[in-house]
Amino acid sequence: MNANDWSQAFEQVFGRKPTPEEFMRAKQAGFPQPQIAQVQPAQKSTKGLPTWVWGTIFIATFLLGAGYYVYSQSTNSQVSVSQSVNQGSEEVDYTEKIEQLSEEEAKLVSQNFGKWLYDSPYGQDAVTVRSTTLPTHGTGSAHVIKKESVDGDILAGFGWTSPGSLEEASKLANINLVEERDKYSIRLLGMKSTSKQVKDFTDNAIVFRIYSLKDATHAYYTSVNDEFEKFLKPRVPEDQLIPAAGMGQTYLGQKLIDTEKENYSILLASNGKVYYVDHKKGENRYQEAPQDMQEAYQQFLTNPSSLTAVESIDPKAGETKTNPSTGTESETTTQAKDVAPLPLWTSGKEEALADFMVSWGNSMNQPGYEKQTMNPESPQQYVVNGNQVSLKPSSDGRGEADYNVVANYKYLNGSVLHVYYMAFTRDGYPIVLYHNQWDGPVLYLKETANADLRAGFANIASQ
């Protein structure tokens, strides 16, 4: 019996949720089937007692038990999991433990929590999505993303920032991201209080969404892009799959989601708590999530190095696909064959970009932009906003480089050179990088400041 099954069985038997101490005792015993202990009266002291005495004992026992139940329920509601939690003889400081997690361990915790949500009653007949709070980089104004909770504001990420260090991004954003980082005592899992890198507050800022459709669907998506390619594209009209329409999210909320059913947003926080909002109730302030969510999160935090990477879930077979380099399947005996991710870039998009570069170049009085072939073995170093990064050519927009380049255009106007790299970040978000150097062992790039070019590439990438 696993922890979730045991918790449900306990509630059925006793009519209440288990206390943390009861849960930990059960965990140490391997989660046995909960049973009400049958206490037999000692024969020596009870033999021959009148019926009225037994009645008095029964009533007194009942009242004591009821009083303990009310007390325990009110006490449990005051338990703060942000403090050290007693596990047997060992106290766990989850705030410190989370701060010590490696990036890979934090990712494993969130992946396994997502799998737990998918299997839990919350995820049954619903869609579960694991994603970042916002795209890593983009064309809007840089800003801080925060979520209001019962324990104060939670830092949930930095929106539309440049990649690299917080210091460099602050100069371009006209906002001191280091000072903003230090304002918050609670952050999302994956964010370290001392991190100086933007990606730790964007790429690693994981949140979960659970929503029910009008046609019952049980599915799990590992990212916004995964949800977009596998779910939104087949169901949403093409004219809604554009940035102006939220890349299909507006249509999803207005036409596909069943608003009569539960619709949750869920955060894993740096204090060891899970917070959630039930949108069906019109809530905006994050509450402490139910006890079973708290227990699942804390169990994964207890020994994250033993967790198995969850790459995706096949909703048809109900199987977990795992990374062969990190472990075997945790829930199935037969591993499903991995499905290749859909391409972000196609020959059709390449042709559309070529046409766009002609019209855009003419509008800039720069006719004749030339498409270049990027050398995959180029020994050059690339620096973006003061940080050395990797750029590699990609036919489909996917890859392990920081920027996977799908197109490279240049324009020469006398002695002035303009070079653009159309690329996708490792997480699949479109970006246009620019430099005007003739050559050199190091090329210094930045995101283009031309809003029309940024929007044009983003629109083509989303088609």
Side-chain angles (χ1 to χ4, degrees):
M1 179 175 291
N2 60 33
N4 188 41
D5 292 340
W6 181 86
S7 297
Q8 292 178 359
F10 184 98
E11 191 168 355
Q12 290 176 354
V13 172
F14 293 98
R16 63 175 177 84
K17 292 184 180 298
T19 66
E21 292 78 10
E22 289 168 335
F23 178 84
M24 295 313 304
R25 286 198 297 270
K27 180 179 179 181
Q28 292 170 351
F31 294 114
Q33 177 67 37
Q35 295 181 350
I36 298 177
Q38 301 297 325
V39 181
Q40 298 296 332
Q43 293 297 321
K44 182 175 181 180
S45 59
T46 60
K47 185 176 180 180
L49 288 177
T51 302
W52 68 269
V53 174
W54 279 112
T56 302
I57 293 174
F58 172 81
I59 293 172
T61 303
F62 173 81
L63 291 175
L64 286 172
Y68 171 77
Y69 171 73
V70 172
Y71 170 78
S72 65
Q73 290 293 88
S74 61
T75 302
N76 289 341
S77 66
Q78 302 300 318
V79 173
S80 174
V81 296
S82 63
Q83 301 173 350
S84 298
V85 179
N86 194 321
Q87 291 194 344
S89 59
E90 179 184 3
E91 288 190 348
V92 179
D93 185 337
Y94 285 107
T95 299
E96 180 180 355
K97 191 171 187 64
I98 291 172
E99 189 70 18
Q100 294 172 349
L101 291 179
S102 67
E103 181 177 335
E104 183 59 30
E105 288 175 331
K107 184 183 297 182
L108 288 173
V109 170
S110 69
Q111 287 179 347
N112 282 265
F113 186 82
K115 172 63 168 60
W116 180 87
L117 282 176
Y118 171 80
D119 290 330
S120 74
Y122 306 100
Q124 293 298 320
D125 296 327
V127 176
T128 302
V129 183
R130 175 185 178 271
S131 66
T132 54
T133 50
L134 271 183
T136 306
H137 316 298
T139 60
S141 300
H143 59 281
V144 177
I145 307 167
K146 62 182 180 180
K147 305 294 183 182
E148 182 185 358
S149 82
V150 292
D151 293 327
D153 287 343
I154 301 173
L155 177 61
F158 297 137
W160 305 120
T161 51
S162 301
S165 70
L166 293 176
E167 290 84 355
E168 289 295 327
S170 296
K171 295 176 183 177
L172 298 174
N174 294 320
I175 180 174
N176 192 320
L177 299 177
V178 176
E179 288 185 359
E180 293 297 330
R181 175 202 66 187
D182 295 340
K183 286 181 181 178
Y184 298 85
S185 60
I186 310 175
R187 299 165 297 279
L188 294 187
L189 174 70
M191 298 179 181
K192 292 188 178 297
S193 61
T194 57
S195 175
K196 299 179 180 179
Q197 296 302 311
V198 170
K199 70 178 182 65
D200 290 331
F201 298 89
T202 51
D203 301 28
N204 297 335
I206 302 300
V207 298
F208 292 92
R209 293 164 27 235
I210 296 179
Y211 54 83
S212 300
L213 303 176
K214 294 177 181 178
D215 58 324
T217 300
H218 189 207
Y220 178 80
Y221 300 106
T222 58
S223 67
V224 169
N225 188 64
D226 191 34
E227 177 192 27
F228 179 80
E229 295 290 342
K230 296 178 182 178
F231 174 71
L232 294 177
K233 271 191 173 181
R235 297 182 182 228
V236 177
E238 288 187 10
D239 63 352
Q240 297 294 308
L241 296 173
I242 59 176
M247 302 300 288
Q249 291 291 335
T250 301
Y251 186 90
L252 170 66
Q254 294 177 349
K255 303 291 185 180
L256 302 180
I257 290 180
D258 188 343
T259 57
E260 297 301 316
K261 295 181 180 178
E262 281 69 21
N263 178 10
Y264 302 110
S265 292
I266 300 169
L267 309 177
L268 303 182
S270 62
N271 58 0
K273 284 187 181 182
V274 183
Y275 296 90
Y276 85 137
V277 162
D278 186 348
H279 296 290
K280 178 183 175 182
K281 299 178 180 178
E283 297 176 344
N284 292 314
R285 189 184 191 195
Y286 280 77
Q287 309 295 320
E288 285 192 29
Q291 185 67 20
D292 52 353
M293 285 193 194
Q294 309 289 353
E295 292 165 357
Y297 181 34
Q298 291 165 12
Q299 286 181 63
F300 295 137
L301 289 171
T302 301
N303 192 13
S305 59
S306 66
L307 300 176
T308 299
V310 180
E311 291 183 338
S312 62
I313 296 173
D314 182 353
K316 294 181 180 178
E319 295 182 343
T320 303
K321 298 175 184 177
T322 60
N323 188 333
S325 65
T326 58
T328 58
E329 303 135 310
S330 59
E331 298 294 334
T332 62
T333 56
T334 303
Q335 185 173 15
K337 184 182 292 185
D338 288 336
V339 179
L342 295 174
L344 300 172
W345 195 249
T346 63
S347 59
K349 294 181 181 182
E350 185 174 350
E351 293 175 2
L353 178 62
D355 293 339
F356 172 79
M357 291 303 294
V358 172
S359 62
W360 177 76
N362 291 336
S363 71
M364 295 287 292
N365 293 319
Q366 296 174 344
Y369 266 87
E370 298 178 10
K371 185 177 182 181
Q372 303 294 299
T373 300
M374 186 179 177
N375 181 4
E377 304 300 328
S378 174
Q380 286 176 316
Q381 296 181 12
Y382 301 94
V383 172
V384 175
N385 298 328
N387 293 276
Q388 185 171 333
V389 298
S390 57
L391 268 74
K392 291 185 179 180
S394 171
S395 60
D396 63 357
R398 298 192 180 277
E400 293 303 316
D402 295 315
Y403 300 97
N404 300 289
V405 180
V406 294
N408 181 200
Y409 282 85
K410 79 170 184 179
Y411 177 77
L412 179 61
N413 182 12
S415 61
V416 179
L417 178 68
H418 301 283
V419 181
Y420 294 94
Y421 293 89
M422 286 72 176
F424 289 87
T425 66
R426 196 175 279 144
D427 283 342
Y429 297 105
I431 187 172
V432 180
L433 298 174
Y434 167 80
H435 78 79
N436 58 1
Q437 290 178 238
W438 278 93
D439 204 352
V442 180
L443 289 181
Y444 296 89
L445 302 101
K446 61 182 179 180
E447 185 177 9
T448 178
N450 189 286
D452 291 336
L453 182 55
R454 293 195 307 257
F457 178 59
N459 285 336
I460 293 170
S462 67
Q463 293 176 2

